[in-house]
Amino acid sequence: MTPDRLRSIVPMFGGGTSYIETLNAVLEFVASHNPTTDELVGWHRGTFDRVSSRDSILRRVSYLKQVGFIQQDGKRWVLGEAGREYVEDYDVETLLRIMCERNIGLRSLMYALAAGPMTIEEISGQQLDTHPELGWSRGETDMALQRVNWLRSMGLVEKQDGEYALTDAGHQFVDAAVAEWANTAWTPKGTDDAMMAGVYETTVQARSVDPEFRVTVLSRYNRTCPVSGVDHPGLLDVAHVLSWSDYPEHRADLSNVLPLSKTHHAAFDRALFTIDQEYRLRVNPSFETESEVLQRTILDQAGERVLIPDDSIAPAYLAQHNESLGWV
């Protein structure tokens, strides 16, 4: 059984961009000395300036145990499964996978940053909006900063003029993650299993998407299809303006996606309607229907502006998509 993912990500001693250096030192000490708890506490006190609180040290030790980096063998500490895997080559990709597997929100944060730089206040809001189960107070930034600092330590995020942005390495991770993490066994708390939908079906095709990417997209639209108004997460798909198959470089691009009901996703993919650069609904002239739902949500809304929050979809992508339709 997969253990619950952790809501709290604990900072390491040594400064905001030194978490990985500190983690490596802890694991090297544990691997070489198999210390008792008292010895591990003493090592921390002797290694880091102004670190003396036993409770503060044990909080970090407990976190490393929860992630699986270390574990107790009798009265002594040894490397855990995750720790043994990581210290084989101290590979950042291995570390990131371990951290994403055991902690809520790291991938969704990177997906959000892929759309553009964010302040720490915006990051805090994004994490709460996407993962309400995190439970910290609105406006609190300490927990968000700890997440950012772990990613900064891994070289995936950098600080620029008071905002945080993905590095080239961060962008490379995001581009691959949306498909590679598609079968992650995680469902957001307080939702039904359909919210996860790592693989979701439409009448057009089945495709796989990272559930943290999916929940990031849905949260940006208040978990509602902007065309139909459907607001049940289990009935929503992540639709791509520039198609998943033809434009793999835009699969994880938040400005290329929006949530649509399963019916409206199929209608969009079949070019029965589209959205123009001014976010107005445009309907294929050949589209006819006796469905009251489709009449009300598509035909009757022709020419009306679709409510795209913060103009989240890139007009250039819509223009490129619509050029291929022939009737726009």
Side-chain angles (χ1 to χ4, degrees):
M1 180 178 178
T2 303
D4 288 341
R5 296 167 78 208
L6 303 172
R7 293 181 296 174
S8 296
I9 297 180
V10 177
M12 302 298 289
F13 295 122
T17 58
S18 301
Y19 288 5
I20 307 309
E21 181 181 339
T22 298
L23 172 66
N24 293 349
V26 172
L27 297 183
E28 289 169 3
F29 177 72
V30 169
S32 60
H33 291 81
N34 298 135
T36 64
T37 297
D38 287 343
E39 290 169 343
L40 189 53
V41 169
W43 177 84
H44 275 85
R45 287 171 172 164
T47 302
F48 301 102
D49 294 337
R50 298 185 296 278
V51 173
S52 60
S53 168
R54 183 181 180 89
D55 288 345
S56 181
I57 294 169
L58 291 182
R59 176 169 171 254
R60 286 151 175 86
V61 170
S62 176
Y63 176 69
L64 296 181
K65 178 182 178 181
Q66 288 178 292
V67 175
F69 287 123
I70 59 177
Q71 64 186 34
Q72 281 187 290
D73 183 5
K75 293 184 177 181
R76 295 193 171 272
W77 289 93
V78 298
L79 294 182
E81 181 178 353
R84 293 192 299 273
E85 180 183 7
Y86 172 55
V87 301
E88 286 183 3
D89 53 15
Y90 291 98
D91 180 62
V92 171
E93 289 188 9
T94 300
L95 177 60
L96 180 59
R97 176 177 53 76
I98 291 168
M99 292 295 289
C100 286
E101 285 175 347
R102 295 297 295 120
N103 297 278
I104 293 173
L106 286 179
R107 293 200 310 281
S108 73
L109 172 54
M110 294 183 68
Y111 288 130
L113 287 172
M118 301 171 69
T119 65
I120 195 62
E121 291 79 13
E122 290 170 337
I123 289 171
S124 178
Q126 180 274 332
Q127 289 282 275
L128 274 179
D129 291 341
T130 308
H131 307 282
E133 67 269 29
L134 291 174
W136 64 63
S137 299
R138 183 71 60 173
E140 178 184 325
T141 59
D142 286 350
M143 297 297 289
L145 185 59
Q146 292 165 14
R147 293 160 183 269
V148 168
N149 283 341
W150 271 102
L151 296 175
R152 290 177 71 194
S153 296
M154 287 184 255
L156 303 170
V157 170
E158 60 186 354
K159 191 173 184 179
Q160 302 174 343
D161 299 324
E163 295 183 319
Y164 297 91
L166 289 186
T167 62
D168 289 343
H171 280 288
Q172 290 173 8
F173 170 81
V174 165
D175 289 343
V178 67
E180 289 181 1
W181 288 80
N183 295 317
T184 304
W186 169 71
T187 304
K189 299 295 184 183
T191 65
D192 59 24
D193 289 342
M195 179 66 175
M196 175 184 165
V199 177
Y200 57 84
E201 299 286 343
T202 75
T203 58
V204 180
Q205 60 185 321
R207 63 177 65 119
S208 300
V209 65
D210 179 359
E212 282 213 17
F213 181 72
R214 171 180 162 78
V215 75
T216 301
V217 175
L218 267 59
S219 69
R220 285 162 65 91
Y221 287 78
N222 196 29
R223 297 168 177 81
T224 302
C225 168
V227 175
S228 67
V230 170
D231 60 359
H232 189 290
L235 301 178
L236 298 176
D237 286 345
V238 174
H240 287 71
V241 176
L242 299 179
S243 72
W244 173 277
S245 57
D246 293 336
Y247 298 90
E249 69 274 21
H250 293 300
R251 288 176 178 176
D253 187 342
L254 288 176
S255 61
N256 185 48
V257 294
L258 73 162
L260 293 176
S261 79
K262 293 182 177 296
T263 297
H264 290 76
H265 186 189
F268 181 82
D269 282 356
R270 292 180 183 275
L272 300 182
F273 78 91
T274 189
I275 300 170
D276 68 19
Q277 291 171 266
E278 285 75 41
Y279 304 126
R280 294 172 302 184
L281 193 73
R282 303 290 295 274
V283 181
N284 189 322
S286 66
F287 179 38
E288 297 179 354
T289 181
E290 295 183 3
S291 164
E292 185 275 332
V293 171
L294 295 179
Q295 177 73 42
R296 174 171 50 82
T297 59
I298 296 180
L299 290 174
D300 290 352
Q301 293 195 76
E304 297 293 324
R305 196 175 195 277
V306 179
L307 296 179
I308 305 297
D310 301 321
D311 296 342
S312 299
I313 303 177
Y317 295 163
L318 292 168
Q320 186 174 349
H321 169 76
N322 293 338
E323 284 177 2
S324 67
L325 299 182
W327 50 265
V328 179

